[in-house]
Amino acid sequence: FGNAYSGVFDLNFRTGNAEQRESAFMIGVLGIEAATEGYFSKKSRASYLVNYRYSTLALMRHVLPSLGDQLPTYHDLSFKIHVPTPIGSFSLFGLGGQSTTLENTVADSSQWESALDAYGFELQQEVGIIGLRHKLLLGDRTYVNTVISASTDNYTDLTQQLLPEENYDLRAVDRTRSLSCQYRIHPQVNHKFNARHTLRTGAILSFLEFDYFYESRWDTTDWTRHMDQQGNTYQIQSYAQWKYRLSEQWTLNTGVHGILFRLNNTWAIDPR
């Protein structure tokens, strides 16, 4: 793994049940969710897995308004379709979600405890990813794993102020937008020489698009633009890893990882 500040989340979807169809419904403190999985046809090993979730707290807010406005409202959908074929196994996977947080204000300054009560905000975040994985076995000791994916992350933030002197009209004072998209292809080859020696090598080519915008007018009527940047670039990573079992208790993992970031033409080669 490379291009990580402090850690890596390596999450994978499991394959749906290819033997029988199953469904589940769950209710918890954080979310209400429903899931279904199973086979497309008994004549093949192709399977599906789908899960949907909605915020429990968002539903409770309609029943108990006293809970406040800042409860997060979110929903997400994830899926995986797995299809084995004579030319390798294919897996189509995806994940999409949206989250919103509101802070409304009371149009009555006599109920305000501080000047901050005149401000409200709306935060919204959307994330989505879709990918296709292909795994091909080349004999008993080698396989090629290739993943093609596209992902997006969109964040918006709007802060507004109630003006008592203007009949409590709402006035926007802060606006933020952060949008990033990434398209990548990641081929990987894994070869096991024997019970002790395993070599894994691969490359990751990423095309990146971004749109960052931020402006504010807290103390004036004119907007001050702090950031307004759009563009695209690409990033190349490559790696090789050698795994050697010294004994049943000891394993040696060594390797090298290289990265090139085209936006500012920086690169690094790290021993592992």
Side-chain angles (χ1 to χ4, degrees):
F1 296 100
N3 192 34
Y5 289 128
S6 60
V8 173
F9 285 91
D10 186 12
L11 305 178
N12 293 273
F13 287 110
R14 68 174 176 85
T15 301
N17 192 334
E19 302 292 337
Q20 61 181 0
R21 291 173 176 156
E22 300 176 303
S23 297
F25 179 77
M26 294 163 281
I27 299 178
V29 176
L30 296 180
I32 298 175
E33 59 184 295
T36 182
E37 62 179 300
Y39 55 86
F40 291 99
S41 171
K42 291 185 177 180
K43 297 180 181 180
S44 72
R45 299 291 300 172
S47 64
Y48 62 87
L49 173 66
V50 183
N51 186 87
Y52 177 77
R53 183 177 59 163
Y54 189 81
S55 170
T56 305
L57 297 177
L59 294 176
M60 293 177 61
R61 183 171 57 191
H62 298 294
V63 181
L64 301 173
S66 60
L67 291 175
D69 298 317
Q70 291 192 33
L71 295 178
T73 300
Y74 64 86
H75 60 103
D76 55 64
L77 173 71
S78 59
F79 69 90
K80 179 180 179 180
I81 299 173
H82 180 72
V83 182
T85 72
I87 58 173
S89 62
F90 293 85
S91 296
L92 178 66
F93 59 91
L95 170 68
Q98 183 184 58
S99 174
T100 303
T101 303
L102 297 173
E103 171 64 28
N104 294 319
T105 56
V106 179
D108 184 357
S109 57
S110 63
Q111 299 184 29
W112 297 351
E113 298 180 358
S114 69
L116 294 177
D117 292 334
Y119 296 92
F121 63 84
E122 179 179 354
L123 307 178
Q124 183 167 308
Q125 188 159 11
E126 300 167 340
V127 63
I129 181 171
I130 187 167
L132 178 65
R133 178 190 300 271
H134 175 240
K135 186 174 183 179
L136 177 63
L137 299 178
L138 301 176
D140 298 331
R141 298 184 177 184
T142 306
Y143 68 83
V144 180
N145 191 60
T146 305
V147 179
I148 301 174
S149 65
S151 62
T152 182
D153 187 352
N154 185 32
Y155 170 83
T156 58
D157 178 5
L158 174 63
T159 302
Q160 296 178 305
Q161 179 185 13
L162 276 176
L163 302 175
E165 64 275 11
E166 298 183 16
N167 197 28
Y168 291 100
D169 284 342
L170 273 174
R171 173 177 177 264
V173 295
D174 190 284
R175 292 190 290 225
T176 303
R177 182 182 69 252
S178 174
L179 172 64
S180 61
C181 302
Q182 181 174 169
Y183 312 92
R184 62 161 36 179
I185 179 170
H186 179 190
Q188 180 187 91
V189 179
N190 192 94
H191 178 71
K192 186 175 183 179
F193 293 96
N194 51 48
R196 290 192 172 187
H197 297 270
T198 302
L199 177 66
R200 175 177 295 177
T201 183
I204 305 172
L205 176 61
S206 304
F207 180 76
L208 313 170
E209 293 182 318
F210 56 90
D211 182 1
Y212 302 139
F213 176 84
Y214 171 52
E215 64 179 2
S216 63
R217 56 172 182 178
W218 292 95
D219 301 319
T220 65
T221 57
D222 299 325
W223 288 98
T224 299
R225 188 159 298 180
H226 308 278
M227 184 186 305
D228 188 3
Q229 187 75 41
Q230 301 84 32
N232 58 75
T233 187
Y234 65 86
Q235 182 184 80
I236 300 174
Q237 301 178 67
S238 61
Y239 59 89
Q241 177 182 321
W242 175 52
K243 181 179 180 180
Y244 176 58
R245 293 190 61 188
L246 298 170
S247 66
E248 293 184 359
Q249 290 80 24
W250 292 89
T251 300
L252 177 65
N253 282 294
T254 61
V256 61
H257 185 279
I259 183 171
L260 169 66
F261 188 39
R262 185 63 181 85
L263 183 65
N264 55 359
N265 290 319
T266 57
W267 59 274
I269 297 178
D270 300 326
R272 301 296 175 86

